[in-house]
Amino acid sequence: MKDYADSMSPEQARLFHDDVLNIVSQIPRGQVTTYGIIAAWAGWPSHSRMVGRVLRYSPEAATLPCHRVVNKEGRTAPGWSLQRTLLEAEGVMFKANGHVDMQQYLWEPEEMK
């Protein structure tokens, strides 16, 4: 059984949006994190897809290092080939399968460790 809510009120959605942008702003250069980690840190562990929506549709996200967010397997966003280029420019290495080496480059906020 889940111990967290599934749906958000409009106020909770606004807070989630702000939290997501704040968390993304903190991802260090040369590291990545996942949509799920961001969702959990924002208090909504079942809302990783909503993290992606916030990053895709928020004008404020254009000034943030959104390229440092990948899925839990280390795959980059489909249709965004520049993401890999940006990560490689920061020294992030990719495995032969095209995924980020998550053991080496995963960043988790200190509070989650």
Side-chain angles (χ1 to χ4, degrees), residues 1-2 18 28 35 38-39 50-51 53 61 64 67-68 70-71 73 79 81 84 86 90 97 100 106 109 111 113:
M1 181 165 177
K2 296 179 185 178
D18 293 345
Y35 299 99
I38 294 169
M50 192 167 173
V51 171
R53 287 187 200 105
L64 298 176
H67 63 283
R68 297 178 187 153
V70 296
N71 80 0
E73 285 89 29
S81 59
R84 180 176 176 143
L86 292 168
E90 294 183 359
N97 65 2
V100 171
L106 179 65
E111 290 83 2
K113 291 183 180 176

Side-chain angles (χ1 to χ4, degrees), residues 1-79:
M1 181 165 177
K2 296 179 185 178
D3 60 350
Y4 50 86
D6 275 337
S7 60
M8 296 181 188
S9 69
E11 179 60 24
Q12 289 171 316
R14 281 189 291 279
L15 290 172
F16 180 83
H17 173 274
D18 293 345
D19 288 345
V20 166
L21 297 180
N22 181 44
I23 294 164
V24 171
S25 74
Q26 297 178 50
I27 305 169
R29 181 178 176 81
Q31 293 189 280
V32 299
T33 197
T34 69
Y35 299 99
I37 288 171
I38 294 169
W41 203 35
W44 293 87
S46 65
H47 285 66
S48 56
R49 287 185 184 206
M50 192 167 173
V51 171
R53 287 187 200 105
V54 168
L55 298 180
R56 182 172 183 167
Y57 297 112
S58 297
E60 308 95 323
T63 62
L64 298 176
C66 296
H67 63 283
R68 297 178 187 153
V69 182
V70 296
N71 80 0
K72 65 184 176 183
E73 285 89 29
R75 286 192 312 243
T76 56

